[in-house]
Amino acid sequence: MRKFLILLTIAIIFRADISLANTELLKAEALMERGHTQEAYKLLFRLLREDPGNDEIDLALARAASSHHPHQAVMAYERLIVKYPRQAIFRREIASVYMSVNDPKSAERHLRFDHTLDENARVLFLKDLEKRFDPFQRHWTLRAGTFYDSNANQGLDSNSISLGDYFLTLDSAKKIHTGGLYFGGNINTSYKLSSPWQFVTDGAFYLRYGASDELKDVGQEYSQWWRGALGFRRTGETDMLDFRVKGEVFDYDFHETVYSYGGELTFSHAVDRHMFFITRASIEKRDYVRNHAYDGVYASIGEYLWLSFGNKHEFNIGARLLFADADYDHYDYNGYEASAWFRFRLQNEIEVSPSVSYTKENYDGPATILEYNDREDKRLRLGLSAKKRINENLSLEISYNYTDNNSNSNIHDYNRHVVNLGCAWSF
């Protein structure tokens, strides 16, 4: 009876140790899921010392160590490969770690034992790894297509309007619809400095031509927008800080030009791999060539929540505060914007993205000298876009956007429908 009790006690203790080890392993995996790989690595390293032959711990340790402790990751993968030499996933993951420390020969050596890859697939896999771990990264997109705009000049329903106690007829105040062509693009680059810092840049442009004689008469036949920015990004396990200095130019017919320059700050915190909180702030100085009354400082700050579902669908919702300090006090304003954006990835390489935003702007004076009440604008935007991927680089795109600007000043009251149809090339 005494021997039985001793054996029973040992069994209970052994099972408790196993349960505790499993609990700690689950805790480490949960930390990795939330992006806390350093904490997971420390916990798994302790578990490995307590149970050096546990394959689950070795695999979890290898994956947790890949980013910040690549040599420990290699050792863990090597132990697994000795036991399971024909497991292709281990060969590919250790090859990825070797490429991260700039050792392509060792990466290729392991991939030669991956019997699921032929020679061509192995070469392509290595090229993909080289591209992924290249310190200089760049991504750019070009877009071209045709559009229809029901109100290209943001005009009124008619040339007759009321301002205060007066009824006026204004030439060319009526909205102008047009078809036309557009061409645009953007590029984003990053260069890895000493970890965790990167030097980042971005650039973008958008050119539009409206094929309408009426639009030509009011000097809005052509429009263009250009942007350039550079700065630094710091990327941690769960946090990312990005600061850029930017300059932008917007222009109608090389005549009504607006210059802006300033700074942008983005901070994101990952709760886990599927949830991010994002803070965005910007401040810029604007110069209006044709109307210096609008010159001044414009700023915004906002908070957003980003969610992903099943690695296929995305959801972004948030709000920001808006501020303007113009040279002419009546153009000063404060306000807010609430927005939501979705992306659904469907079958057959189709993406559908609905969006909605609501903006309210309260100005410090009337819109014109004929009015008595301070100007107040409420703007609703609705959007729906779809993209069909043709191949790795080419996609077909279509979008619809509706804007309803409801202002207490009739001269700023308008609605607008815009449809775009075109192609996008991404590299």
Side-chain angles (χ1 to χ4, degrees):
M1 183 68 178
R2 183 180 178 185
K3 289 183 178 180
F4 174 75
L5 291 175
I6 292 172
L7 290 173
L8 180 61
T9 302
I10 292 172
I12 291 172
I13 293 172
F14 181 71
R15 292 192 62 178
D17 286 342
I18 293 176
S19 177
L20 179 61
N22 287 338
T23 301
E24 294 289 276
L25 182 58
L26 290 173
K27 180 180 177 182
E29 291 173 347
L31 286 170
M32 291 174 62
E33 177 66 20
R34 296 199 300 272
H36 299 280
T37 54
Q38 290 279 49
E39 293 181 47
Y41 170 77
K42 293 176 182 178
L43 176 56
L44 289 164
F45 203 79
R46 178 174 61 79
L47 290 176
L48 184 67
R49 289 197 299 267
E50 296 172 0
D51 188 3
N54 190 312
D55 296 338
E56 288 184 279
I57 295 175
D58 256 333
L59 181 57
L61 177 66
R63 289 171 174 170
S66 296
S67 300
H68 300 283
H69 306 277
H71 299 292
Q72 291 291 344
V74 165
M75 293 171 63
Y77 278 121
E78 293 285 10
R79 290 192 294 269
L80 291 167
I81 287 171
V82 168
K83 293 182 180 180
Y84 310 101
R86 297 187 64 83
Q87 278 291 337
I89 186 64
F90 298 156
R91 300 285 186 178
R92 296 186 187 188
E93 290 185 9
I94 196 174
S96 178
V97 176
Y98 273 122
M99 289 299 293
S100 72
V101 294
N102 196 26
D103 188 354
K105 290 184 178 180
S106 296
E108 184 177 9
R109 172 171 56 84
H110 275 282
L111 289 177
R112 289 191 178 279
F113 288 95
D114 182 354
H115 301 292
T116 65
L117 298 175
D118 58 26
E119 182 64 27
N120 289 334
R122 186 160 51 248
V123 170
L124 290 174
F125 190 80
L126 276 170
K127 285 184 177 180
D128 182 65
L129 289 179
E130 288 176 0
K131 183 178 179 181
R132 189 192 316 170
F133 292 107
D134 189 335
F136 178 67
Q137 297 286 325
R138 63 183 179 276
H139 304 281
W140 59 278
T141 302
L142 290 176
R143 287 184 168 83
T146 185
F147 71 89
Y148 171 77
D149 191 334
S150 71
N151 190 355
N153 62 329
Q154 299 178 19
L156 312 175
D157 289 336
S158 72
N159 288 332
S160 299
I161 61 171
S162 63
L163 295 176
D165 297 329
Y166 297 88
F167 291 90
L168 305 174
T169 299
L170 303 177
D171 293 337
S172 304
K174 188 176 180 180
K175 60 185 177 183
I176 300 171
H177 67 89
T178 185
L181 303 173
Y182 69 86
F183 178 53
N186 63 275
I187 182 169
N188 292 274
T189 73
S190 66
Y191 184 80
K192 188 175 182 181
L193 305 171
S194 58
S195 182
W197 291 95
Q198 299 175 56
F199 175 71
V200 293
T201 70
D202 73 80
F205 72 95
Y206 185 78
L207 311 176
R208 199 173 101 143
Y209 166 72
S212 167
D213 291 336
E214 291 180 275
L215 206 59
K216 184 178 180 180
D217 291 340
V218 298
Q220 297 183 15
E221 183 181 15
Y222 303 96
S223 65
Q224 57 178 325
W225 171 77
W226 299 85
R227 169 191 163 95
L230 57 85
F232 295 92
R233 178 187 297 152
R234 188 186 188 281
T235 305
E237 285 193 326
T238 59
D239 298 331
M240 186 278 293
L241 179 67
D242 187 297
F243 174 75
R244 306 185 188 205
V245 177
K246 61 117 180 195
E248 297 183 23
V249 179
F250 179 80
D251 178 84
Y252 274 125
D253 280 6
F254 309 102
H255 182 63
E256 297 188 17
T257 309
V258 182
Y259 298 97
S260 69
Y261 45 90
E264 298 175 338
L265 179 71
T266 302
F267 175 78
S268 69
H269 173 72
V271 178
D272 56 39
R273 297 179 187 276
H274 305 289
M275 179 185 293
F276 287 77
F277 285 101
I278 303 170
T279 303
R280 291 193 178 99
S282 70
I283 185 169
E284 63 186 41
K285 176 70 170 62
R286 295 183 190 174
D287 293 325
Y288 290 75
V289 171
R290 301 291 296 178
N291 192 344
H292 293 295
Y294 283 100
D295 292 354
V297 177
Y298 294 75
S300 69
I301 182 168
E303 187 69 22
Y304 301 86
L305 172 64
W306 178 88
L307 300 169
S308 70
F309 304 93
N311 296 320
K312 291 182 64 178
H313 312 306
E314 300 174 38
F315 173 50
N316 189 300
I317 186 171
R320 62 173 179 160
L321 299 175
L322 307 170
F323 310 93
D325 181 16
D327 285 358
Y328 181 52
D329 291 344
H330 282 196
Y331 294 150
D332 292 351
Y333 68 79
N334 61 76
Y336 65 87
E337 177 187 81
S339 61
W341 168 85
F342 306 83
R343 174 181 290 163
F344 302 103
R345 292 182 173 89
L346 309 178
Q347 296 179 348
N348 301 319
E349 298 291 328
I350 295 176
E351 294 181 5
V352 177
S353 302
S355 62
V356 59
S357 71
Y358 178 80
T359 306
K360 184 177 181 181
E361 296 169 346
N362 300 302
Y363 288 79
D364 288 350
T368 67
I369 61 173
L370 300 178
E371 297 172 280
Y372 307 108
N373 297 323
D374 290 352
R375 177 182 167 188
E376 181 182 271
D377 284 14
K378 300 175 183 177
R379 186 162 49 255
L380 174 67
R381 287 193 177 102
L382 301 174
L384 180 63
S385 64
K387 180 170 72 174
K388 164 66 176 175
R389 189 177 297 277
I390 305 302
N391 55 42
E392 184 180 356
N393 303 114
L394 179 63
S395 300
L396 295 178
E397 297 181 327
I398 185 171
S399 66
Y400 165 75
N401 291 279
Y402 170 72
T403 302
D404 180 24
N405 197 76
N406 186 0
S407 176
N408 62 353
S409 173
N410 285 345
I411 201 169
H412 295 287
D413 213 10
Y414 70 90
N415 59 69
R416 185 180 190 183
H417 305 265
V418 181
V419 178
N420 294 292
L421 175 63
C423 299
W425 295 266
S426 300
F427 299 91

